[in-house]
Amino acid sequence: MAQIWHLAARPDGNLTTGIFALSAQPDPALDESMVRVENHWLSVDPYMRGMLDENGSYMPALPVGSPVHGGAIGRVVESRAVALPVGTMVLHNQGWRDLSTLAATDCTALPQDGAPIRRHLGHLGMPGKTAYFGLLVAAEAREGDIVFISSAGGAVGTAALQIAKIKNMTVIASCGGAEKCAALKALGADAVIDYKSPGDISGKLRQAAPDGISVYFDNVGGDHFEAAIDSARVGARFALCGMVSGYGERMRLCIDDPMRLVMKRLRLRGFAAPDFNDRHAEFYGDMLRWTLSGELKSPETVHEGLEAVPTAFVSLFSGGNLGKMLVRLAPAGPGDAA
Amino acid sequence: MAQIWHLAARPDGNLTTGIFALSAQPDPALDESMVRVENHWLSVDPYMRGMLDENGSYMPALPVGSPVHGGAIGRVVESRAVALPVGTMVLHNQGWRDLSTLAATDCTALPQDGAPIRRHLGHLGMPGKTAYFGLLVAAEAREGDIVFISSAGGAVGTAALQIAKIKNMTVIASCGGAEKCAALKALGADAVIDYKSPGDISGKLRQAAPDGISVYFDNVGGDHFEAAIDSARVGARFALCGMVSGYGERMRLCIDDPMRLVMKRLRLRGFAAPDFNDRHAEFYGDMLRWTLSGELKSPETVHEGLEAVPTAFVSLFSGGNLGKMLVRLAPAGPGDAA
């Protein structure tokens, strides 16, 4: 019997754990070319917020009553697929449960690459790919750029910050709270902005980047976006990937004096990690090298046990994590060591 | 004595001709390397609106009491510059007056290229350059694209529309009034949207482009911008050059559900014609060839006499022109024939 988190109700205004319900389901028979996976690590990510609403977002809306899904890493415990024998560690997208039954083609066997295996849900996985291609391709950031990163304390932000520093850029990182600010400084940020401290973001950014910014990596939209336009130099490039602050509320993004988009010759580009799937090797090669050399640190916030999944997920939106937010289900195996 | 239009007061809400005042000024002595130019054609352009406000826009704000300036074509009538002998036809930026005294380096001698000389204020000049590079470079529009052009009845829009058709794109053109719509159809638009007719732009655009748009050439911002986001296909490119509807009011541009920028992988780019000055030859070669072959038509709205300049200018913002808005000062010379 698999224990699976289901969507019990749509979020109504504030997001609460009460919209999720855990229930057991009989394990389906294992058809030809399918595997059963015992999950060790579950991922919760901001993008998942979108599928909870009626309109959907990155993905179609999840019907109420459906099992929730998301990134997961586990061990094949039963297999009718030659390519994935029992014992193989795999990455898949049928998380929010302890046991997943799925087609072998929906699993990716994970390499023993010397990095902790859970990193494939973080800086070696989707969030890392979002940071890498968002910064280097969508924003075309290069050595010498002055980069503003919003929500820089998350999985994507901590990667973007460090990639920018490895590439000799100047980084202004925004996050909430003195503790996170200190952590981002330790990761190499040249300046940090605490959005929870008194004062508006525009003023703080002007102070942190008196010469303006040439790149904005947007994870939140809202007032950070407005501040970035305000401080943008001529020709600045904006990579837009999240607009977390807009999830749920279908908020409006209002730009005062939009002629500034023209006058400053701004370039804005929306993107998502899967857009760059054909360039996976490039990303993985760089990020693994930097991980193994210690240049790229991967802070993590780990919750324990399947029951903790909704709590971990909901706290993403109140800044409850530094770095990648994970839920650990099984005792660490050999590949799980830090 | 030169008769020169001055800015007598800042526009207060609605733009009226009363903020301009004509007054005579003694002609300054002609220093070494300077020329005196008798103007034949004066240009009025939407961008000029920006310098009338306290904050400026493309250019610094014009102090109240200053002479207004803008594109003009005239004949050198007095010269202390070897390169520009008397009789040379020149383009310069000291318009809004009948007689201009300026440095030879601030004038461009105009070629006898077979096109009417006033075209250098229109499709062979700044508005043409805006259309050409905005469409082909800022929006990266190519054969097969479905292009939405707002304010398509103006100097920039009529050029963008026809360049797109010459390059085998599909064009949806927006303008105000049945007469202009018919004119844009005659210029090759595949579909036209009358923004003055009942109904919202989003609905009209969805109807005109049921398969969506891949390029948006923005001259107005506001509801056209919103409609373009609504109808945008994944990966659509937006060239932003004017946002005319925002002039003066410092209006806000509000985007509902800004996650659409991300989900649709939109690319927005602000630009202005001078950004492409180093590629003038490319633009001029194409546009002159199309002009002489008759592929590129250049509708014009011509007012007569210096007194008409403010009226011509103000009526730009109520859609009083089809194509390039010009003021003619002198009887047509040999280069002025249509």
Side-chain angles (χ1 to χ4, degrees):
Chain A
M1 295 282 273
Q3 298 284 330
I4 304 180
W5 282 105
H6 290 70
L7 180 64
R10 299 223 175 274
D12 184 18
N14 264 350
L15 183 68
T16 61
T17 58
I19 63 167
F20 302 105
L22 191 62
S23 63
Q25 288 206 331
D27 301 325
L30 210 64
D31 285 343
E32 182 62 32
S33 305
M34 292 188 77
V35 294
R36 193 113 53 212
V37 178
E38 182 189 77
N39 294 322
H40 292 194
W41 295 95
L42 301 181
S43 182
V44 290
D45 299 274
Y47 80 85
M48 295 173 178
R49 177 67 185 81
M51 65 175 157
L52 307 182
D53 290 320
E54 212 160 349
N55 299 314
S57 175
Y58 283 103
M59 288 173 289
L62 202 64
V64 172
S66 307
V68 189
H69 48 81
I73 285 172
R75 185 173 164 276
V76 174
V77 291
E78 208 183 329
S79 174
R80 291 193 63 194
V82 180
L84 297 180
V86 168
T88 310
M89 295 300 293
V90 296
L91 172 74
H92 64 85
N93 201 44
Q94 229 185 69
W96 289 67
R97 68 200 73 182
D98 54 3
L99 202 61
S100 301
T101 301
L102 69 177
T105 49
D106 289 335
C107 296
T108 305
L110 290 174
Q112 294 196 316
D113 55 15
I117 201 159
R118 65 189 182 279
R119 205 71 89 235
H120 287 271
L121 293 171
H123 285 175
L124 296 179
M126 183 276 293
K129 198 183 283 186
T130 302
Y132 185 92
F133 290 112
L135 186 70
L136 302 179
V137 181
E140 298 177 62
R142 298 287 176 270
E143 177 166 351
D145 270 317
I146 302 175
V147 183
F148 176 42
I149 302 171
S150 58
S151 196
V156 174
T158 53
L161 186 170
Q162 294 176 87
I163 296 166
K165 290 312 299 175
I166 289 168
K167 298 277 188 182
N168 295 313
M169 304 170 198
T170 300
V171 174
I172 296 106
S174 162
C175 62
E179 200 177 333
K180 273 195 199 165
C181 283
L184 297 189
K185 283 287 249 184
L187 289 177
D190 298 277
V192 289
I193 287 175
D194 181 355
Y195 68 78
K196 290 182 174 170
S197 74
D200 67 0
I201 311 285
S202 280
K204 291 173 189 172
L205 182 56
R206 270 198 298 270
Q207 193 162 33
D211 298 326
I213 62 168
S214 56
V215 166
Y216 174 45
F217 192 104
D218 181 71
N219 284 302
V220 300
D223 53 1
H224 282 74
F225 188 89
E226 178 63 34
I229 292 180
D230 191 46
S231 278
R233 293 181 175 187
V234 169
R237 291 138 281 146
F238 285 23
L240 313 178
C241 80
M243 303 199 159
V244 167
S245 69
Y247 277 123
E249 308 154 45
R250 302 272 149 197
M251 69 146 194
R252 308 182 84 190
L253 176 69
C254 287
I255 302 171
D256 284 327
D257 191 10
M259 268 301 284
R260 292 181 298 169
L261 300 176
V262 180
M263 301 309 301
K264 294 189 170 196
R265 275 53 163 186
L266 300 188
R267 301 186 195 195
L268 281 58
R269 178 172 167 183
F271 77 98
D275 303 350
F276 303 100
N277 279 348
D278 58 341
R279 295 173 67 174
H280 180 83
E282 184 185 336
F283 146 75
Y284 179 61
D286 275 347
M287 296 292 272
L288 179 62
R289 193 175 70 252
W290 296 330
T291 297
L292 297 180
S293 71
E295 285 170 281
L296 180 72
K297 309 271 190 292
S298 295
E300 291 164 341
T301 302
V302 178
H303 289 245
E304 301 288 342
L306 187 63
E307 292 71 19
V309 174
T311 304
F313 175 67
V314 168
S315 77
L316 278 175
F317 301 93
S318 53
N321 59 311
L322 175 67
K324 177 63 196 165
M325 181 79 101
L326 291 163
V327 178
R328 182 187 351 233
L329 299 190
D336 294 347
Chain B
M1 295 282 274
Q3 298 284 330
I4 304 180
W5 283 105
H6 290 70
L7 180 64
R10 299 222 174 277
D12 184 19
N14 265 351
L15 182 68
T16 61
T17 58
I19 64 168
F20 301 106
L22 190 62
S23 63
Q25 288 206 331
D27 300 326
L30 209 63
D31 285 343
E32 182 62 34
S33 305
M34 292 188 78
V35 294
R36 194 117 46 215
V37 178
E38 183 188 75
N39 294 321
H40 292 195
W41 296 94
L42 301 181
S43 181
V44 291
D45 298 275
Y47 80 85
M48 295 172 178
R49 178 67 187 82
M51 66 176 157
L52 306 182
D53 290 320
E54 211 160 349
N55 298 314
S57 174
Y58 282 104
M59 287 173 288
L62 202 62
V64 171
S66 307
V68 189
H69 50 81
I73 285 172
R75 185 173 164 276
V76 174
V77 291
E78 208 184 331
S79 174
R80 292 192 62 194
V82 179
L84 296 180
V86 168
T88 311
M89 294 300 293
V90 295
L91 172 74
H92 64 86
N93 200 45
Q94 229 184 69
W96 289 67
R97 68 200 73 183
D98 53 2
L99 201 61
S100 301
T101 302
L102 70 176
T105 49
D106 289 334
C107 295
T108 305
L110 290 175
Q112 293 196 317
D113 55 15
I117 202 160
R118 65 189 182 279
R119 205 71 89 235
H120 287 270
L121 294 171
H123 285 174
L124 296 179
M126 184 276 293
K129 198 183 282 187
T130 302
Y132 185 91
F133 290 111
L135 186 70
L136 302 179
V137 181
E140 297 177 61
R142 298 286 177 271
E143 176 166 351
D145 270 317
I146 302 174
V147 182
F148 176 42
I149 302 172
S150 59
S151 196
V156 174
T158 53
L161 186 170
Q162 294 175 87
I163 296 166
K165 290 312 300 175
I166 288 168
K167 298 276 188 183
N168 295 313
M169 305 171 197
T170 299
V171 175
I172 296 107
S174 162
C175 63
E179 200 178 334
K180 273 194 199 165
C181 282
L184 298 189
K185 283 288 248 185
L187 289 177
D190 298 277
V192 289
I193 287 175
D194 181 355
Y195 68 77
K196 290 182 174 170
S197 74
D200 67 1
I201 312 284
S202 280
K204 292 173 190 173
L205 182 56
R206 270 197 299 269
Q207 193 162 33
D211 298 327
I213 61 168
S214 56
V215 165
Y216 174 44
F217 192 105
D218 180 72
N219 284 304
V220 300
D223 53 0
H224 282 75
F225 188 89
E226 179 62 34
I229 293 180
D230 191 46
S231 278
R233 294 180 175 188
V234 169
R237 290 138 281 143
F238 286 24
L240 313 178
C241 81
M243 302 197 160
V244 167
S245 70
Y247 276 124
E249 309 153 45
R250 301 272 149 200
M251 69 146 195
R252 307 181 84 190
L253 176 69
C254 288
I255 303 170
D256 283 328
D257 191 10
M259 268 301 284
R260 292 181 299 168
L261 299 176
V262 179
M263 302 310 301
K264 294 189 168 194
R265 275 54 162 185
L266 300 188
R267 300 186 195 196
L268 282 59
R269 179 171 167 184
F271 77 99
D275 303 352
F276 303 99
N277 279 349
D278 58 341
R279 295 174 66 174
H280 180 82
E282 184 185 336
F283 146 75
Y284 179 60
D286 276 347
M287 296 292 273
L288 179 61
R289 193 176 69 252
W290 297 329
T291 296
L292 298 181
S293 71
E295 285 170 281
L296 180 73
K297 309 271 192 291
S298 294
E300 292 165 340
T301 302
V302 177
H303 289 246
E304 301 288 343
L306 188 62
E307 292 70 19
V309 174
T311 304
F313 175 67
V314 169
S315 77
L316 279 175
F317 301 93
S318 53
N321 58 311
L322 176 67
K324 177 63 196 166
M325 181 79 101
L326 290 164
V327 178
R328 182 188 350 234
L329 299 190
D336 295 345

